[in-house]
Amino acid sequence: MPLTLLKAGETVTIRKIGGSDEVRQHLSELGFVAGEQVSVVSESSGNLIIHVKDCRIALDKSMASRIQV
Amino acid sequence: MEIKIALAGNPNSGKTTLFNNLTGSRQYVGNWPGVTVEKKEGKLKGHDDVIIQDLPGIYSLSPYTLEEVVSRTYLVNEKPDAIINIVDGTNIERNLYLTTQLLELNIPMVIALNMMDLVRKNGDKVDTAKLSSELGCEVIELSALKNEGADDVANKAIQLAQNKTIGNRPSILSGEVENAVKQIEGELSGIADDKFLSWSAIKVFERDSKELEKLHLASDKKKNIEDIIEACEKSMDDDSESIITNQRYTYITGVTDTAVKKGRAKGELSISDKIDKIVTNRILGLPIFALVMFLIYAIAMGGWSVSIGTAATDFTNDVIFGEWVPGFFDTILGALHVEEGTVLYGLIQDGIVAGVGAVIGFVPQMLVLFLLLAILEDIGYMARVAFVMDRIFRQFGLSGKSFVPCLVATGCGVPGVMASRTIENDRDRKLTVMTTTFMPCGAKLPIIGLIAGAIFGGSPWIAASAYFIGIGSIILSGIILKKFKAFAGEPAPFVMELPPYHVPSVVGVLRATWERGWSFIKRAGSVIVISSIIIWFLSAFGTVNGHFGLVDNLFEDETIVTDEYVQKLADRMDVEIDDVNAMDASLLASVGNVISPVFKPLGFGNWKPTVATITGLVAKEEVVGTFGVLYNYDDSDEELGEEGEQIWDRVAADYTTMGAFSFMVFNLLCAPCFAAIGAIKREMNNAKWTWAAIGYMTGWAYVLAFIFYNVGGLLTGEHGFGLGPILGIVLLAGLIYLLVRKGYQPDESAKSLTSVDANA
Amino acid sequence: MSVILGHAIVILILAVIVFFCGRSVIREIRHELNGGGCSGCGGNCSGCTASCHKTDPKV
């Protein structure tokens, strides 16, 4: 399921990243790759703040929905 | 022999602090040729022959953003003698992603492991020796904030540069991928630069567009390489870019497993996380933000006991410029035999003191405002604000990143415009640059204060309305403009790193506040002194019924000032006979009168506000400075220079309620001061767009002021139902139409023009 | 001291002030219009950091 469906406090492992090459590359540079464990710090209508590789990244719905966990 | 050292690292890794530490004040700032990415270089302290080139903060050397392209082009073309890779110690894994790419460039490199103080505080342990040996290059600990280690890093870099030491670069790729890339290296040998052969091969494997563009491969080579890549992709069941990315991360994990021990378990929340949970909460986020903004303005400009800003301003106006300064000058001038009533006395007291005093009075309020905004920026809240506002802004077709410039602009428009650099989408960025200065900045506060005080009894609603009109103009402009082809398109998805909160550094905040405050005072000191003098002169001299001279003196002569003349003057200047005074016959009045018809439809077609508005171009606070001089005519024996009831009464007499309000609206929204125009010019990098921005803002200001005056006047009963109000309603209808119409629907290709493509 | 001398002194001081102020104003306006304006920077902004401190912006 996409990351957007998670609630605050949950920790999951990324299975796959969808979307265009550019988007995927951008996300992977920030640490979003398959196999990576991430946790949700805060969530509001699909916009998320995620803990990934020791840092906080804020993602809007459209980006977060490309991340399958 | 000159040594060139490049400074590379992630955004938020402390690069800028390190750069400042290394170069002190010997820095040069410009732009990378042809693009709006800032280029910073400086001389290393104590070494005249060492240049440090600061590269933009980047996460990797992909070809997707301007910053990345600029950086890799520099590294590959300029071939610096050494690289200092600054790595955020609290975030090693992600930071090493860039490191692996830099290592491939085969340039001598030293890693500066920054934020070690935070690392220790978190309970993490980093074995720098192990890290060094795994990565094949030296790792030096650094705490840039505390200025520890910077010299070691610099010296090491110089040493590496001089000895050209590359060390044992590890092989990051393994297995099939490594083979495939080696094969590509074979294909490329002779074509690509030898030094960068492995880097080139990896990029080609990833089908990197910029690298391929550069190499101009023959079609048979292209086919061979493509075959190699496809074979690998098939066998690993993944696309080439992802393959390399995964390889990098696998390698990094291997390194960190050996060398890094985390103090906190994964998934555990840090303090920053806990704060973020509340602050960006779906329900609480916005109200918290509104509360924070309200507090800031209450403390700086409100009328309550906690409003230290207002208290200080009142003191400055009433005491310093109400008594001390005029009194002081009175004494000195008296001692030098310059008596009241002479030209010189008038120039100094009624011109300079009045003009400058009117503006300086606001300095305390602005300092408090700047201080609070600086604290907000320093603790890191601004990034969260962008996130919270993104949800709303997206409804209007913009991203939350367009909001931060607006927030910053409430202090000063110049950094506000520059804050638009974080917006990736080129169209949105231009849009933001064009509308950011609608926000009332510190210099516009005096205008609000003047109108609110003189016409509306100091009501706080006026200040509130100024901000609403400002933000409203930005949002409405965004909606309207996005319906046009030039701006249409989805905003870039919101992706933003939120650095951890940190306690504001007292020094940093005070310095930021002082810098902004000081430039305001400097402006008051120079620009306003000059304009006050000029304006005073032009308003003190004129032709009264054929006689040229000091209008004040001439007006005392009844033989010159006949009833007939007064009538003519009243008609020409469009004032009531009883309100005619000496200044109306001045040179300035005549000049202002030529332009004032432009503003008649807006309700302030008098020469005084016309002149004030024009002086506002130089600096917005000058509007009030001008008022200070022009409304300071001495028809009583009271003290001068007061921003109190005297001037306010006279100002009030000149305007209707809606006229005054429309004057305020026009000045708040129209073209910004020269400094802001300069910033816009720099960001747009294009004369056409700069003029478009200025034209748009002035046009919008005019239309809005027109509507307020005419339609508003209709509603308040000031006007009857005449041509003005009809036009006003038509304009209003026009605006509504522009807001709700369907607008240009872009096709997929135009969906998001990135800055890279826009500059290609 | 006579009235004329007093006037003269004040005028002289004013002239000096005007000269220096005027010069700095013109320089600053030209500088700002060319995009070097960092009048409200404050050292924290994402773009402008370095040029706020006594440097010559060399492009």
Side-chain angles (χ1 to χ4, degrees):
Chain A
M1 64 173 176
L3 200 53
T4 47
L5 292 179
L6 291 185
K7 294 276 163 272
E10 301 193 47
T11 305
V12 288
T13 311
I14 299 181
R15 280 197 303 120
K16 182 170 128 77
I17 315 252
S20 78
D21 281 344
E22 228 176 279
V23 164
R24 244 178 328 134
Q25 195 58 11
H26 201 43
L27 284 173
S28 65
E29 287 167 15
L30 292 172
F32 291 100
V33 272
E36 185 64 31
Q37 253 202 336
V38 297
S39 49
V40 178
V41 173
S42 151
E43 174 269 325
S44 92
S45 340
N47 296 338
L48 300 167
I49 298 186
I50 312 275
H51 223 250
V52 59
K53 287 202 188 298
D54 294 330
C55 74
R56 249 165 311 264
I57 307 275
L59 293 174
D60 71 353
K61 205 165 173 172
S62 73
M63 282 301 242
S65 59
R66 292 179 225 243
I67 304 178
Q68 298 290 332
V69 297
Chain B
M1 197 209 58
E2 216 179 53
I3 299 184
K4 268 192 301 201
I5 303 183
L7 188 57
N10 279 186
N12 295 320
S13 56
K15 201 159 54 67
T16 310
T17 316
L18 179 62
F19 182 70
N20 287 338
N21 284 344
L22 291 176
T23 57
S25 57
R26 311 203 293 172
Q27 299 174 0
Y28 303 96
V29 181
N31 275 349
W32 292 92
V35 295
T36 54
V37 179
E38 200 179 59
K39 180 179 208 248
K40 269 163 49 179
E41 59 182 60
K43 285 219 168 80
L44 181 59
K45 272 196 234 177
H47 296 254
D48 267 343
D49 54 347
V50 177
I51 298 194
I52 312 260
Q53 180 74 246
D54 186 22
L55 297 177
I58 44 179
Y59 292 111
S60 102
L61 292 176
S62 80
Y64 294 128
T65 70
L66 264 182
E67 285 81 9
E68 291 166 335
V69 171
V70 150
S71 299
R72 51 190 259 173
T73 311
Y74 171 80
L75 290 168
V76 168
N77 291 350
E78 301 286 323
K79 303 192 182 51
D81 300 297
I83 301 178
I84 298 179
N85 176 210
I86 187 162
V87 166
D88 176 1
T90 61
N91 200 346
I92 295 190
E93 277 187 68
R94 214 262 323 276
N95 275 253
L96 284 183
Y97 189 77
L98 175 65
T99 311
T100 57
Q101 298 184 51
L102 293 173
L103 286 170
E104 282 152 14
L105 291 170
N106 276 328
I107 298 178
M109 185 160 105
V110 58
I111 294 180
L113 197 58
N114 198 10
M115 313 211 179
M116 287 313 287
D117 47 332
L118 277 179
V119 169
R120 277 172 227 132
K121 217 161 45 145
N122 283 342
D124 300 337
K125 290 202 197 358
V126 180
D127 187 334
T128 42
K130 273 228 185 80
L131 199 58
S132 238
S133 73
E134 290 280 334
L135 292 174
C137 73
E138 294 240 13
V139 175
I140 299 188
E141 288 186 14
L142 183 66
S143 170
L145 263 176
K146 303 207 167 121
N147 214 345
E148 291 165 4
D151 293 323
D152 295 331
V153 171
N155 287 332
K156 180 49 82 172
I158 296 177
Q159 195 189 48
L160 291 173
Q162 284 168 335
N163 298 339
K164 301 203 198 315
T165 338
I166 296 186
N168 261 337
R169 294 289 154 93
S171 79
I172 298 168
L173 307 172
S174 60
E176 275 190 68
V177 188
E178 197 180 2
N179 282 338
V181 168
K182 280 251 172 333
Q183 284 183 297
I184 297 183
E185 275 183 30
E187 294 279 344
L188 292 180
S189 101
I191 305 178
D193 194 332
D194 247 0
K195 186 173 158 94
F196 297 117
L197 193 58
S198 52
W199 188 80
S200 221
I202 296 180
K203 287 281 171 257
V204 167
F205 181 81
E206 288 178 304
R207 298 202 186 87
D208 184 299
S209 52
K210 290 269 173 210
E211 187 65 14
L212 287 171
E213 215 179 278
K214 205 176 73 161
L215 290 172
H216 294 308
L217 297 168
S219 43
D220 55 329
K221 272 241 187 287
K222 268 198 222 166
K223 173 130 193 346
N224 288 348
I225 294 181
E226 189 58 32
D227 286 341
I228 301 175
I229 304 178
E230 271 177 22
C232 201
E233 284 180 322
K234 208 151 173 206
S235 145
M236 305 194 67
D237 190 28
D238 208 350
D239 70 280
S240 62
E241 258 185 312
S242 304
I243 293 178
I244 299 285
T245 306
N246 285 331
Q247 290 261 311
R248 291 197 203 279
Y249 275 126
T250 311
Y251 169 74
I252 293 174
T253 313
V255 169
T256 53
D257 277 348
T258 334
V260 179
K261 299 249 171 309
K262 286 265 137 196
R264 199 187 313 122
K266 239 191 161 85
E268 218 178 282
L269 293 179
S270 66
I271 300 187
S272 289
D273 290 335
K274 296 197 184 118
I275 301 180
D276 271 334
K277 273 191 77 155
I278 308 175
V279 154
T280 58
N281 181 277
R282 173 194 346 195
I283 306 180
L284 293 179
L286 263 174
I288 291 183
F289 174 62
L291 184 66
V292 168
M293 291 318 294
F294 177 75
L295 276 178
I296 290 185
Y297 289 100
I299 299 181
M301 298 178 339
W304 300 276
S305 47
V306 74
S307 311
I308 45 184
T310 316
T313 280
D314 285 341
F315 179 77
T316 311
N317 281 329
D318 297 336
V319 180
I320 301 184
F321 279 96
E323 295 163 35
W324 293 357
V325 174
F328 171 77
F329 277 104
D330 192 55
T331 315
I332 294 207
L333 291 174
L336 291 171
H337 291 282
V338 180
E339 298 301 327
E340 204 168 326
T342 57
V343 174
L344 213 46
Y345 190 88
L347 169 62
I348 294 183
Q349 289 280 37
D350 302 330
I352 303 180
V353 173
V356 174
V359 173
I360 297 249
F362 286 96
V363 169
Q365 276 181 331
M366 285 177 32
L367 276 177
V368 173
L369 179 63
F370 288 152
L371 179 74
L372 294 171
L373 282 177
I375 294 179
L376 211 61
E377 266 180 50
D378 208 50
I379 56 180
Y381 183 59
M382 287 299 193
R384 276 76 184 174
V385 166
F387 179 68
V388 168
M389 295 302 284
D390 186 66
R391 227 172 65 218
I392 303 182
F393 265 58
R394 215 152 272 274
Q395 312 274 8
F396 309 127
L398 294 168
S399 103
K401 287 191 185 166
S402 294
F403 182 72
V404 175
C406 306
L407 197 51
V408 174
T410 59
C412 169
V414 175
V417 165
M418 295 204 242
S420 68
R421 286 183 194 183
T422 58
I423 302 174
E424 305 98 342
N425 186 313
D426 193 59
R427 286 183 245 249
D428 284 349
R429 202 173 65 90
K430 288 198 159 74
L431 186 68
T432 305
V433 168
M434 272 174 74
T435 56
T436 298
T437 48
F438 278 148
M439 285 307 275
C441 69
K444 293 181 187 169
L445 285 187
I447 303 180
I448 303 178
L450 176 70
I451 300 293
I455 317 282
F456 294 95
S459 155
W461 286 111
I462 299 300
S465 75
Y467 286 99
F468 282 131
I469 294 178
I471 195 84
S473 294
I474 296 177
I475 296 181
L476 292 180
S477 295
I479 301 178
I480 294 179
L481 287 173
K482 286 218 84 155
K483 306 223 187 219
F484 287 93
K485 186 165 170 191
F487 295 100
E490 294 295 314
F494 189 87
V495 180
M496 192 160 166
E497 186 182 345
L498 303 179
Y501 287 107
H502 74 83
V503 176
S505 92
V506 175
V507 169
V509 163
L510 284 180
R511 187 162 51 88
T513 307
W514 177 245
E515 266 175 27
R516 294 191 197 185
W518 177 241
S519 71
F520 183 77
I521 295 177
K522 250 191 348 187
R523 262 215 296 226
S526 51
V527 173
I528 297 184
V529 164
I530 299 285
S531 4
S532 298
I533 293 177
I534 296 178
I535 292 184
W536 183 86
F537 260 115
L538 292 176
S539 67
F541 287 89
T543 311
V544 179
N545 214 2
H547 300 255
F548 181 83
L550 263 176
V551 288
D552 268 339
N553 293 348
L554 288 171
F555 252 66
E556 314 239 313
D557 188 339
E558 277 178 9
T559 59
I560 304 181
V561 184
T562 61
D563 283 338
E564 199 191 312
Y565 174 72
V566 175
Q567 177 69 63
K568 250 186 9 188
L569 194 59
D571 288 338
R572 192 154 55 99
M573 292 298 161
D574 199 29
V575 287
E576 298 294 321
I577 296 230
D578 293 327
D579 290 332
V580 170
N581 86 339
M583 263 192 209
D584 290 316
S586 68
L587 285 169
L588 192 61
S590 313
V591 170
N593 219 30
V594 171
I595 305 180
S596 62
V598 169
F599 296 117
K600 265 236 183 19
L602 304 185
F604 52 96
N606 189 278
W607 66 272
K608 287 183 191 166
T610 304
V611 170
T613 304
I614 295 180
T615 56
L617 265 184
V618 181
K620 287 293 169 187
E621 54 267 54
E622 183 49 28
V623 171
V624 167
T626 306
F627 266 52
V629 175
L630 295 181
Y631 281 98
N632 198 24
Y633 45 86
D634 199 11
D635 59 5
S636 71
D637 292 311
E638 296 178 44
E639 287 297 319
L640 308 151
E642 239 179 83
E643 238 280 309
E645 293 74 36
Q646 267 180 296
I647 299 190
W648 285 4
D649 278 345
R650 291 185 207 130
V651 170
D654 254 6
Y655 305 91
T656 64
T657 317
M658 287 322 288
F661 192 76
S662 126
F663 174 76
M664 183 184 85
V665 166
F666 184 77
N667 273 285
L668 288 181
L669 299 178
C670 75
C673 65
F674 285 159
I677 294 181
I680 293 178
K681 174 167 177 272
R682 197 166 156 195
E683 288 306 309
M684 294 295 205
N685 224 8
N686 177 318
K688 201 175 67 159
W689 274 102
T690 310
W691 281 111
I694 301 176
Y696 178 76
M697 286 192 270
T698 313
W700 176 268
Y702 196 90
V703 168
L704 228 62
F706 187 91
I707 293 178
F708 268 113
Y709 179 62
N710 289 290
V711 179
L714 189 66
L715 295 172
T716 61
E718 268 171 34
H719 301 163
F721 199 73
L723 178 62
I726 293 180
L727 264 176
I729 295 180
V730 167
L731 280 173
L732 192 56
L735 269 181
I736 297 180
Y737 164 69
L738 281 173
L739 270 172
V740 302
R741 71 179 181 129
K742 186 144 185 260
Y744 179 80
Q745 297 298 340
D747 58 25
E748 274 304 313
S749 61
K751 270 265 152 98
S752 53
L753 181 69
T754 60
S755 296
V756 178
D757 299 327
N759 278 282
Chain C
M1 120 161 57
S2 73
V3 178
I4 299 186
L5 187 56
H7 270 72
I9 294 177
V10 175
I11 292 183
L12 190 63
I13 296 178
L14 266 182
V16 167
I17 295 179
V18 168
F19 174 70
F20 282 109
C21 280
R23 210 174 57 159
S24 104
V25 165
I26 296 183
R27 209 187 314 142
E28 184 164 336
I29 292 185
R30 276 225 312 259
H31 174 80
E32 283 178 354
L33 273 179
N34 282 337
C38 271
S39 67
C41 239
N44 266 353
C45 46
S46 45
C48 193
T49 0
S51 61
C52 287
H53 312 268
K54 291 149 182 72
T55 50
D56 297 334
K58 264 200 210 156
V59 177

